[in-house]
Amino acid sequence: MLIPADWRGYFISNHTMLYLGETISLVVAFSWTITALCSEVASKRLGALQLNVIRMLLSLFLLGCTMWIFTGSPFPLYTNIQTWVWLLMSGLVGYVFGDYCLFNAYILIGSRFGQLFMTLAPPTAAFASWVLLGEHLHLQAWLGMAITLVGIGMSVLNKGSQESHHKVELKLPVKGVLFGIGAGVGQGLGLVLSKVGMNYYEAGVPEGMDAVNDLLPFASTFIRAIAGSLGFLCVMALQKQFYTLPTALKDRKGMKAAVGATLTGPFIGVSLSLMAVQYTEAGIASTLMALVPVLIIWPAHWLFKQEVKPLEIVGAVISVIGASLFFL
């Protein structure tokens, strides 16, 4: 079951290309906002570890089906040992460490603040690229780091009380903040490791295999999801929590949220994000897709009855502006 490499022509004509990439990028931002909200519900009902196991296994199935439809094989083609090593490491860092921290952050501080800390991913990726790949960090990147940190600080810090004798205090649980930081750092470092792996992958694909090249990011995500699935299953085994899976699977509301988080996140979100950069500049697409910490403010307030202060909104906007400096 193989779809031709020029499959885009069946769905999109040339005269509809104007602003198509920008529109898709905004759709991705909304999709990932839904992912975060669903993940908060699912994490609190099923548990962070249980949700990650279910999400990874479901992602493998959906990605395998996608590759089978477009390349004729449900498994990655033309891979080599370097590709597997780097992408598996990326999956362990980005999924097992990063997503475990993120979903625990959702439980402790909510999806709104959890997504705020995800703006740490671009500066982490830039710093890791500087250290691991020797990429040059321009002044704009350092400025972006500073602005992102200022925005996060404005959102999570309060003026200290007279009793505490501190000028500023955290208004969130320390453990939740640490999980949030771990999520952003894990995501950023995982992206850099993924970039190295995809470079090896692309170099090993024979010329003329357009369908494989088009689906290369999906195949790479499939390999990362293998690492994530095995990693989370190992953690579950070490914690002796396999008995919790049947209970989690019986929670209909939690499972609906888990399926929604998987469809709008690693499946639809990733798919559309890859399509967006095909029709507009990567910097524009990345900036628009980074709007989640701002877009999530109102629905989180409406759904979870969270109090939102003006300074928190300003801080979220500033942190997004700081993150966007890495792409522009």
Side-chain angles (χ1 to χ4, degrees):
M1 188 172 181
L2 184 63
I3 290 181
D6 60 346
W7 58 272
R8 297 183 195 87
Y10 292 107
F11 305 103
I12 303 172
S13 57
N14 290 332
H15 68 274
T16 63
M17 294 296 183
L18 188 62
Y19 301 121
L20 179 61
E22 289 82 352
T23 302
I24 294 174
S25 299
L26 287 173
V27 173
V28 171
F30 281 104
S31 178
W32 283 343
T33 300
I34 297 172
T35 302
L37 296 169
C38 289
S39 296
E40 178 175 348
V41 174
S43 295
K44 291 179 177 178
R45 294 189 68 90
L46 308 179
L49 182 57
Q50 291 75 10
L51 172 59
N52 274 304
V53 170
I54 294 168
R55 193 177 69 105
M56 284 293 98
L57 295 176
L58 184 56
S59 297
L60 280 174
F61 173 75
L62 294 173
L63 289 165
C65 289
T66 302
M67 289 189 295
W68 178 67
I69 292 171
F70 286 93
T71 69
S73 171
F75 304 105
L77 300 173
Y78 306 110
T79 56
N80 52 50
I81 186 63
Q82 292 95 334
T83 297
W84 278 90
V85 168
W86 285 99
L87 290 177
L88 287 175
M89 285 196 300
S90 172
L92 290 174
V93 174
Y95 285 145
V96 181
F97 175 73
D99 280 1
Y100 181 77
C101 288
L102 179 62
F103 292 133
N104 275 288
Y106 286 163
I107 294 173
L108 294 170
I109 60 178
S111 54
R112 181 164 64 91
F113 285 110
Q115 280 298 310
L116 178 68
F117 281 104
M118 291 302 285
T119 58
L120 290 173
T124 300
F127 188 78
S129 296
W130 178 47
V131 174
L132 297 177
L133 305 178
E135 294 183 0
H136 182 64
L137 276 182
H138 299 282
L139 177 61
Q140 183 172 307
W142 292 105
L143 181 62
M145 289 184 192
I147 292 175
T148 299
L149 292 174
V150 168
I152 292 174
M154 291 176 63
S155 297
V156 303
L157 295 175
N158 266 337
K159 184 178 180 181
S161 61
Q162 292 182 350
E163 293 80 7
S164 66
H165 303 292
H166 293 129
K167 293 184 178 181
V168 292
E169 292 178 335
L170 269 175
K171 60 185 177 185
L172 300 173
V174 175
K175 190 175 181 181
V177 171
L178 292 176
F179 274 128
I181 294 172
V185 171
Q187 176 76 6
L189 184 55
L191 286 174
V192 175
L193 296 173
S194 179
K195 179 180 178 180
V196 177
M198 288 181 67
N199 287 340
Y200 279 114
Y201 196 171
E202 188 174 12
V205 177
E207 292 185 8
M209 302 300 298
D210 293 337
V212 175
N213 276 316
D214 287 342
L215 270 293
L216 189 145
F218 291 86
S220 300
T221 304
F222 184 89
I223 296 174
R224 295 181 72 219
I226 290 175
S229 300
L230 294 176
F232 283 123
L233 287 172
C234 286
V235 173
M236 184 168 278
L238 290 173
Q239 296 185 3
K240 298 180 180 179
Q241 291 195 28
F242 277 116
Y243 72 92
T244 62
L245 272 179
T247 303
L249 293 172
K250 292 177 182 177
D251 188 325
R252 291 188 177 182
K253 186 175 181 179
M255 285 301 300
K256 287 180 180 178
V259 172
T262 304
L263 289 174
T264 57
F267 186 60
I268 294 176
V270 170
S271 303
L272 292 182
S273 68
L274 298 172
M275 187 179 294
V277 297
Q278 292 178 332
Y279 298 113
T280 188
E281 295 179 11
I284 296 174
S286 299
T287 300
L288 293 172
M289 289 186 288
L291 290 173
V292 178
V294 176
L295 295 176
I296 201 173
I297 292 174
W298 182 81
H301 166 71
W302 181 66
L303 289 172
F304 306 130
K305 311 303 179 185
Q306 296 177 358
E307 180 184 3
V308 181
K309 298 179 180 179
L311 191 61
E312 295 173 357
I313 299 175
V314 174
V317 172
I318 290 176
S319 68
V320 169
I321 292 173
S324 70
L325 290 178
F326 290 90
F327 307 122
L328 297 178

